[in-house]
Amino acid sequence: MAAIRPRSTVSAWQPSVPGIAEVFHARFTDHAYPTHVHDTWALMILDGGQVDFALDRERHGVGLRNSVILLPPGVAHDGRTVTEAGFRKRVLYLDTSVLPEGLTGAAVDAPLLLDPALRERVHGLHVALGAPELPAGAVERLEAESRLAFVRERLHRWLAGRAPTAYGAPGARLAVRLRELLDARVTEGIGLEEASAELGHVHPTHLIRSFTAAYGLPPHAYLTGRRVELARRLLLAGMRPAEAATAAGFYDQAHLTRHFGRHVGTSPARFARSGPV
């Protein structure tokens, strides 16, 4: 008789701690993230199982309990389960007030940090951010901010100590300009012909190829990921899924739900109802 897989679960909340955009805890038994980007740093620890991911088109695998995974903002990555047992993870999404974007190149070179002391600091921060005796969304702010300061200190030590590496595809100015257009119009979007005209009447297929070569995913996939990120923030701020869908640029709640499930591993409604566990 085949073993019954444990149920996938997701908990997410937005703490009142400057620098932390989201706390995300999940157990996934069969999930594959599409290639996407975040506008924040993703700091992840595993509590069980193994995960395989690609960052800037280089694959990595990890199942070590003492490892910390750090994914920089703006760099394409994916992720997937490795075994039938799946994996359990805890993630902190940190804005650039915690780590500057200038450290992106170093993080791309070394996204896996084998550092038991750093992992213990990240674990302690998660405990402070989701203490079970506190109501959802409340934290002992001073403790959490103090723990975040020690996490930031050790991450800086890891990244700033490496030889500086510039991140970015050479000769990708056209892709950068298209990305700036997409970032400026996440909600309303922009058509391919209009983008082509804005960028000097570049042939549409050349525009798509340039963007994909520079960032590892086509423009439409990049924009979808940015809209999902926006919807996450709106949901955690208390907006209802139907309202968050249109506010983030999706046609309706069903449209959001389809893409949200692929990117986050749960529905917008369940995500909005989740919190510290």
Side-chain angles (χ1 to χ4, degrees), residues 43-92:
L43 180 65
M44 180 171 81
I45 56 176
L46 290 181
D47 292 314
Q50 294 178 291
V51 62
D52 174 88
F53 68 95
L55 177 67
D56 195 30
R57 287 167 281 199
E58 181 175 345
R59 297 220 70 84
H60 304 269
V62 63
L64 299 176
R65 291 288 295 272
N66 289 332
S67 293
V68 176
I69 302 171
L70 181 65
L71 306 178
V75 182
H77 59 277
D78 62 14
R80 64 193 182 196
T81 54
V82 176
T83 68
E84 288 190 359
F87 64 94
R88 290 182 293 118
K89 68 174 183 176
R90 288 178 284 169
V91 186
L92 298 172

Side-chain angles (χ1 to χ4, degrees), residues 69-121:
I69 302 171
L70 181 65
L71 306 178
V75 182
H77 59 277
D78 62 14
R80 64 193 182 196
T81 54
V82 176
T83 68
E84 288 190 359
F87 64 94
R88 290 182 293 118
K89 68 174 183 176
R90 288 178 284 169
V91 186
L92 298 172
Y93 292 100
L94 309 175
D95 66 34
T96 52
S97 69
V98 178
L99 293 174
E101 288 190 69
L103 296 175
T104 294
V108 170
D109 289 344
L112 297 177
L113 309 178
L114 183 54
D115 184 341
L118 173 59
R119 191 198 185 282
E120 187 60 29
R121 290 185 183 186

Side-chain angles (χ1 to χ4, degrees), residues 53-268:
F53 68 95
L55 177 67
D56 195 30
R57 287 167 281 199
E58 181 175 345
R59 297 220 70 84
H60 304 269
V62 63
L64 299 176
R65 291 288 295 272
N66 289 332
S67 293
V68 176
I69 302 171
L70 181 65
L71 306 178
V75 182
H77 59 277
D78 62 14
R80 64 193 182 196
T81 54
V82 176
T83 68
E84 288 190 359
F87 64 94
R88 290 182 293 118
K89 68 174 183 176
R90 288 178 284 169
V91 186
L92 298 172
Y93 292 100
L94 309 175
D95 66 34
T96 52
S97 69
V98 178
L99 293 174
E101 288 190 69
L103 296 175
T104 294
V108 170
D109 289 344
L112 297 177
L113 309 178
L114 183 54
D115 184 341
L118 173 59
R119 191 198 185 282
E120 187 60 29
R121 290 185 183 186
V122 175
H123 165 73
L125 178 53
H126 276 283
V127 172
L129 291 167
E133 69 272 13
L134 297 174
V139 296
E140 290 293 345
R141 182 166 174 169
L142 180 59
E143 179 187 358
E145 289 180 345
S146 300
R147 290 182 179 276
L148 176 60
F150 281 107
V151 168
R152 176 172 51 214
E153 176 187 63
R154 200 160 185 94
L155 288 172
H156 270 276
R157 189 179 303 170
W158 268 96
L159 299 179
R162 299 180 61 84
T165 303
Y167 172 72
R173 181 58 189 159
L174 181 61
V176 171
R177 291 170 64 197
L178 176 55
R179 182 169 179 164
E180 290 171 347
L181 281 179
L182 295 173
D183 287 343
R185 299 177 60 171
V186 170
T187 300
E188 63 268 36
I190 186 170
L192 191 57
E193 292 295 335
E194 184 181 353
S196 174
E198 288 269 357
L199 298 175
H201 298 283
V202 180
H203 194 281
T205 56
H206 177 59
L207 195 57
I208 296 169
R209 289 191 180 103
S210 297
F211 190 94
T212 305
Y215 297 117
L217 72 172
H220 73 273
Y222 174 82
L223 182 59
T224 297
R226 290 301 311 276
R227 287 176 170 174
V228 169
E229 290 294 295
L230 176 55
R232 289 173 79 142
R233 291 195 292 269
L234 296 173
L235 290 166
L236 292 180
M239 189 175 286
R240 293 185 302 175
E243 296 169 339
T246 55
F250 293 97
Y251 299 127
D252 53 25
Q253 186 173 342
H255 189 210
L256 169 63
T257 298
R258 183 166 68 253
H259 291 291
F260 203 89
R262 292 179 61 241
H263 282 259
V264 187
T266 190
S267 71

